[in-house]
Amino acid sequence: MSQFQIHSILTANATAKPLLEGSLKKYGFVPNLHGGLAEAPAALKAYIELTALFDQTSFSPTEQQVILLAISAENHCTYCVSAHSMIAKQMVKADPAIVEALRNGKPLPDSKLDALAGFARAVVKNRGVVCGQTLDKFITAGYSRAQVLEVVLGVAFKTLSNYTNHILHVPLDPAFQAEAWEEPALCSNRQCA
């Protein structure tokens, strides 16, 4: 059970309140992640700003979702995998086969996107220590050196949300329930520190 409150606009402090009002305006509801982050308004503001910065990267909307889903699955974040599966399928109109492959840790049916997902996973898994072969595969697939750093931005962005979700046990919003995700069985034996 979480020791944290998922704030609403009514329960948020004066600094977080306008940020949550912005979330309501943008999404039509206040995502539970935002309500959880409202406990620390600076964290909520950072999440909102990182979202906007990541949206400005050179990646297409589908590529952005591939990165965010690959990172979230690698970090075993059930909330973010569910939310980004919904965003990828419903808002971005990404190929459902790509989304399902990411959710299941399988190779993607598109080789360039598979190299992107593999690179994003490697950055997370190896804490940024990515071997030459993995980096070469990413560049050979058609991505740039600048995009290497844009993937790192995505990792920073998702680390904030993935770790927040783990610590706060953020409940999945009804808007994302249709894409509810459970981590694969091989990862489910993780222990709390």
Side-chain angles (χ1 to χ4, degrees):
M1 179 173 215
S2 178
Q3 299 176 10
F4 293 87
Q5 179 176 354
I6 304 301
H7 289 280
S8 68
I9 293 171
L10 297 174
T11 65
N13 70 35
T15 305
K17 199 171 294 246
L19 299 171
L20 293 181
E21 288 169 347
S23 297
L24 176 62
K25 184 176 180 181
K26 181 175 181 178
Y27 301 107
F29 68 103
V30 175
N32 287 334
L33 171 61
H34 296 209
L37 285 165
E39 184 73 26
L44 177 57
K45 184 176 182 188
Y47 179 80
I48 291 167
E49 290 178 2
L50 284 169
T51 301
L53 290 170
F54 189 71
D55 286 348
Q56 295 172 33
T57 64
S58 62
F59 292 112
S60 72
T62 295
E63 289 170 323
Q64 289 176 3
Q65 292 306 311
V66 166
I67 293 165
L68 300 177
L69 274 163
I71 293 166
S72 296
E74 187 64 35
N75 279 328
H76 313 292
C77 183
T78 57
Y79 183 97
C80 288
V81 171
S82 302
H84 286 288
S85 294
M86 181 64 73
I87 292 166
K89 288 179 178 179
Q90 301 299 320
M91 297 172 69
V92 173
K93 305 297 184 197
D95 179 348
I98 290 169
V99 176
E100 289 310 309
L102 289 161
R103 289 168 59 94
N104 295 309
K106 303 289 185 194
L108 277 60
D110 177 296
S111 62
K112 185 174 182 182
L113 293 178
D114 191 55
L116 177 60
F119 182 72
R121 284 188 204 105
V123 172
V124 172
K125 185 176 184 177
N126 300 311
R127 292 173 172 67
V129 182
V130 180
C131 71
Q133 185 178 22
T134 303
L135 183 57
D136 290 346
K137 182 177 178 183
F138 180 73
I139 299 294
T140 301
Y143 293 105
S144 71
R145 290 186 303 275
Q147 288 174 315
V148 168
L149 299 175
E150 290 177 341
V151 169
V152 173
L153 172 61
V155 171
F157 163 41
K158 281 291 98 185
T159 298
L160 176 58
S161 64
N162 293 167
Y163 288 13
T164 296
N165 284 309
H166 292 324
I167 294 168
L168 274 59
H169 303 283
V170 176
L172 191 61
D173 301 276
F176 307 133
Q177 283 294 332
E179 294 296 334
W181 179 78
E182 291 185 29
E183 61 185 319
L186 62 122
C187 302
S188 62
N189 60 355
R190 290 180 298 120
Q191 303 272 328
C192 285

